């Protein structure tokens, strides 16, 4: 195991905490050097993690929490700072490995910095690829860094493609658990509550991604993410519902072979893979016990119930729409969380926004830049906020 200089952005979230757990379980936490840990609101957890792992810098994005962070780190040699500028500045310092796990569009700029300044970018923030895929991948290529996906499906595909040539690849099969509403009727879905949406059957994740999984917006984002990562077209990706979440995705090759990656659903697996690539370290994870797995099932998704999978076709055919799709989805989720719209309305908000002519015009520039992306994101959020249902 080589010693690495590591930054973890979004350390207090579900992926951030699993990353720390990987480092504890594989007993490498004292071998690496930690550079930056960041959070937004949860200053107590940030202080706790910093005291345990001793990074050189701790950043709290929400500036009003700076004093608490400073007090909590007094007497240590950990440098506290706050705000987005500090975050971006510290993401612009060279490290060997960074975990980009800030949720939503808020994490895109940090991911872009990591693409430039990290030897290896472990990318959990799928929004970075959905909104800024072209820009992010061009930075990885230009600066000769490596991007290893952390999303379990993309980690699975990445693993299946090791040693393979692009020209042998026929299609990608993205698996989806189907979430808590897989067996619900359309009528029941109209009354689905926030509590229902937060009950994921297989994965323990942050709240927003859990809601995205319930609506399958998460799978729609992952489809676009896969197009960017693996250089495939929309028609070269199939989605299959696999309720057991044992197969994390598959690749069909032109010679009739299918490769699949199987593991017990636990994000520590893909995080450990990204941390140790190309090696594999011991983690406290059991292998799949096939005598105990009673069945592995596969179903076609229901595009009426999970309408986001239909809307995303438009993005699949014009990747510049990714930022509009994501921004309107984030606002729709906020509206659902605050009880302003019902579960099925989330997809209708996104459909209305993505068809908005004034926004389409904004997506015409030949080259993506951070400032054009921010402008489009803000404009799409405005349109989404103003949509009313009667
Ligand atoms: P969480 O909501 O659990 O955590 C998000 C992290 O981002 C927290 O550390 C949070 O800080 C920080 N954060 C939130 N808003 C801001 C902001 N404006 N500025 C700076 N930091 C911010 O998310 P997850 O860990 O579930 O997901 C992280 C990313 O990984 C997402 O893009 C998600 O799609 C992806 N992903 C997650 C999986 C999972 O199993 N959870 C699986 C695959 C992908 P604080 O805690 O202080 O609010």
């Amino acid at each position: 195991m080589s010693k690495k200089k590591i930054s973890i952005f979004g350390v207090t979230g579900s992926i951030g905490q699993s990353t720390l757990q990987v480092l504890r379980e594989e007993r490498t936490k004292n071998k690496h050097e930690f550079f930056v840990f960041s959070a937004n609101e949860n200053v107590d957890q940030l202080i706790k993690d910093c005291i345990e792992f001793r990074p050189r810098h701790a950043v709290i994005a929400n500036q009003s929490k700076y004093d608490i962070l400073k007090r909590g780190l007094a007497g240590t040699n950990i440098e506290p700072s706050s705000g987005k500028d500090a975050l971006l500045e510290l993401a612009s310092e060279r490290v060997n490995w960074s975990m980009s796990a800030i949720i939503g569009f808020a994490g895109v700029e940090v991911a872009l910095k990591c693409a430039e300044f990290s030897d290896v970018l472990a990318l959990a923030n799928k929004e970075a690829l959905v909104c800024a895929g072209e820009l992010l991948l061009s930075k990885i290529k230009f600066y000769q860094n490596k991007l290893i996906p952390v999303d379990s499906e993309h980690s699975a595909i990445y693993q299946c493609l090791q040693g393979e040539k692009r020209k042998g690849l026929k299609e990608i099969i993205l698996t989806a658990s189907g979430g808590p509403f897989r067996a619900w009727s359309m009528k029941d879905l109209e009354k689905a509550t926030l509590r229902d949406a937060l009950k994921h059957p297989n994965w323990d994740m942050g709240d927003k991604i859990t809601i995205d999984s319930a609506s399958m917006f998460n799978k729609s984002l992952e489809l676009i993410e896969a197009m960017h990562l693996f250089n495939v077209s929309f028609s070269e990706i199939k989605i299959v519902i696999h309720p057991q979440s044992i197969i994390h995705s598959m690749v069909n090759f032109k010679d009739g072979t299918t490769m699949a990656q199987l593991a017990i659903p636990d994000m520590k697996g893909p995080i450990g893979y990204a941390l140790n690539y190309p090696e594999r370290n011991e983690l406290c994870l059991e292998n799949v016990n096939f005598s105990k797995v009673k069945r592995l099932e596969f179903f076609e998704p229901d595009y009426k119930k999970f309408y986001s999978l239909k809307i995303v076709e438009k993005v699949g055919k014009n990747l510049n729409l990714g930022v509009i799709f994501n921004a309107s989805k984030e606002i729709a989720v906020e509206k659902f969380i605050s009880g302003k719209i019902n579960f099925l309305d989330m997809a209708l908000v996104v459909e209305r926004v993505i068809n908005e002519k004034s926004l389409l015009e904004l997506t015409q520039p030949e080259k993506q830049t951070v400032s054009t992306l921010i402008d489009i994101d803000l404009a799409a959020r405005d349109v989404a906020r103003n949509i009313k249902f009667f």
Side-chain angles (χ1 to χ4, degrees):
M1 195 247 9
S2 58
K3 179 179 166 177
K4 296 182 178 79
K5 185 173 172 186
I6 290 177
S7 287
I8 305 177
F9 298 100
V11 73
T12 49
S14 164
I15 291 288
Q17 292 295 296
S18 294
T19 307
L20 298 187
Q21 195 52 25
V22 165
L23 290 155
R24 289 186 194 106
E25 286 178 14
E26 64 168 32
R27 306 216 173 106
T28 53
K29 111 179 180 198
N30 297 323
K31 295 186 181 143
H32 297 298
E33 176 192 343
F34 296 97
F35 187 62
V36 184
F37 279 8
S38 88
N40 187 38
E41 295 281 343
N42 194 349
V43 68
D44 294 340
Q45 185 66 45
L46 179 61
I47 293 168
K48 201 164 157 238
D49 294 335
C50 286
I51 302 286
E52 182 185 349
F53 282 80
R54 301 278 161 168
R56 214 175 311 154
H57 299 271
V59 194
I60 189 87
N62 181 337
Q63 294 185 311
S64 68
K65 307 260 168 142
Y66 174 73
D67 288 342
I68 307 175
L69 181 65
K70 195 172 167 205
R71 269 201 306 279
L73 297 179
T76 71
N77 52 6
I78 305 165
E79 187 84 32
S81 56
S82 69
K84 186 178 159 187
D85 290 349
L87 188 58
L88 291 176
E89 211 170 286
L90 286 166
S92 308
E93 299 253 0
R94 190 92 223 156
V95 292
N96 303 116
W97 192 88
S98 62
M99 168 55 77
S100 166
I102 293 176
I103 192 152
F105 191 79
V108 174
E109 278 185 85
V110 168
L112 288 167
K113 290 290 183 199
C114 294
E116 201 171 327
F117 294 99
S118 298
D119 299 342
V120 174
L121 160 60
L123 186 69
N125 172 259
K126 62 192 81 184
E127 297 85 353
L129 279 168
V130 172
C131 302
E134 183 192 315
L135 193 54
L136 186 95
L137 295 176
S138 70
K139 280 183 188 285
I140 291 283
K141 196 168 167 199
F142 184 80
Y143 294 101
Q144 299 186 339
N145 294 323
K146 195 164 190 63
L147 188 167
I148 305 188
V150 169
D151 229 341
S152 58
E153 294 78 357
H154 305 74
S155 172
I157 298 160
Y158 190 85
Q159 293 182 51
C160 291
L161 288 174
Q162 290 302 298
E164 301 290 345
K165 294 218 163 62
R166 171 65 185 85
K167 65 176 186 198
L169 188 161
K170 186 159 130 199
E171 61 185 2
I172 281 171
I173 304 173
L174 263 188
T175 54
S177 70
F181 299 139
R182 184 176 62 84
W184 284 41
S185 70
M186 198 71 182
K187 218 170 160 36
D188 289 340
L189 272 185
E190 280 166 20
K191 295 185 214 111
T193 64
L194 178 59
R195 234 170 126 210
D196 297 325
L198 286 173
K199 280 188 217 144
H200 198 284
N202 305 343
W203 292 98
D204 180 15
M205 307 181 284
D207 285 358
K208 284 186 180 163
I209 184 174
T210 305
I211 296 167
D212 285 351
S213 295
S215 63
M216 295 202 61
F217 263 113
N218 184 47
K219 207 50 55 184
S220 309
L221 295 174
E222 287 177 5
L223 197 154
I224 304 301
E225 185 185 6
M227 284 180 69
H228 283 291
L229 275 174
F230 306 112
N231 187 24
V232 290
S233 65
F234 186 77
S235 60
E236 289 171 318
I237 306 181
K238 303 272 173 302
I239 293 175
V240 166
I241 305 289
H242 167 48
Q244 290 79 19
S245 296
I246 295 287
I247 296 181
H248 296 296
S249 277
M250 298 178 256
V251 176
N252 279 345
F253 292 95
K254 287 182 180 158
D255 64 356
T257 296
T258 300
M259 298 268 265
Q261 187 260 354
L262 284 74
I264 302 291
D266 189 320
M267 285 310 294
K268 290 194 307 254
I271 293 168
Y273 182 81
L275 181 63
N276 297 307
Y277 178 91
E279 286 161 27
R280 289 182 188 265
N281 275 6
E282 180 89 40
L283 283 175
C284 301
L285 291 173
E286 298 284 320
N287 288 88
V288 176
N289 181 341
F290 288 98
S291 55
K292 284 199 180 142
V293 176
K294 293 200 183 67
R295 54 181 186 266
L296 296 177
E297 297 167 296
F298 305 95
F299 305 101
E300 278 283 304
D302 181 334
Y303 287 83
K304 254 198 191 151
K305 255 168 47 179
F306 301 109
Y307 192 50
S308 69
L309 295 176
K310 201 84 206 137
I311 307 168
V312 80
E313 271 186 48
K314 252 193 139 154
V315 186
K317 288 173 185 154
N318 174 5
L319 291 173
N320 283 336
L321 298 178
V323 60
I324 300 179
F325 183 80
N326 180 67
S328 51
K329 188 275 304 174
E330 287 191 20
I331 297 297
V333 171
E334 277 173 27
K335 285 186 172 203
F336 172 64
I337 291 175
S338 60
K340 292 194 182 113
I341 60 174
N342 78 31
F343 183 78
L344 292 173
D345 290 340
M346 284 192 284
L348 302 181
V349 169
V350 175
E351 187 179 42
R352 294 252 288 266
V353 179
I354 213 156
N355 286 322
E356 176 70 35
K357 275 214 183 84
S358 60
L359 292 175
L360 291 182
E361 281 157 19
L362 291 178
T363 64
Q364 301 309 325
E366 323 76 68
K367 255 186 145 210
Q368 281 189 336
T369 64
V370 174
S371 70
T372 54
L373 288 170
I374 292 174
D375 288 348
I376 303 169
D377 172 80
L378 288 173
R381 279 168 202 268
D382 261 359
V383 175
R385 274 193 199 100
N386 290 320
I387 287 177
K388 303 259 179 308
F389 287 102
F390 298 103

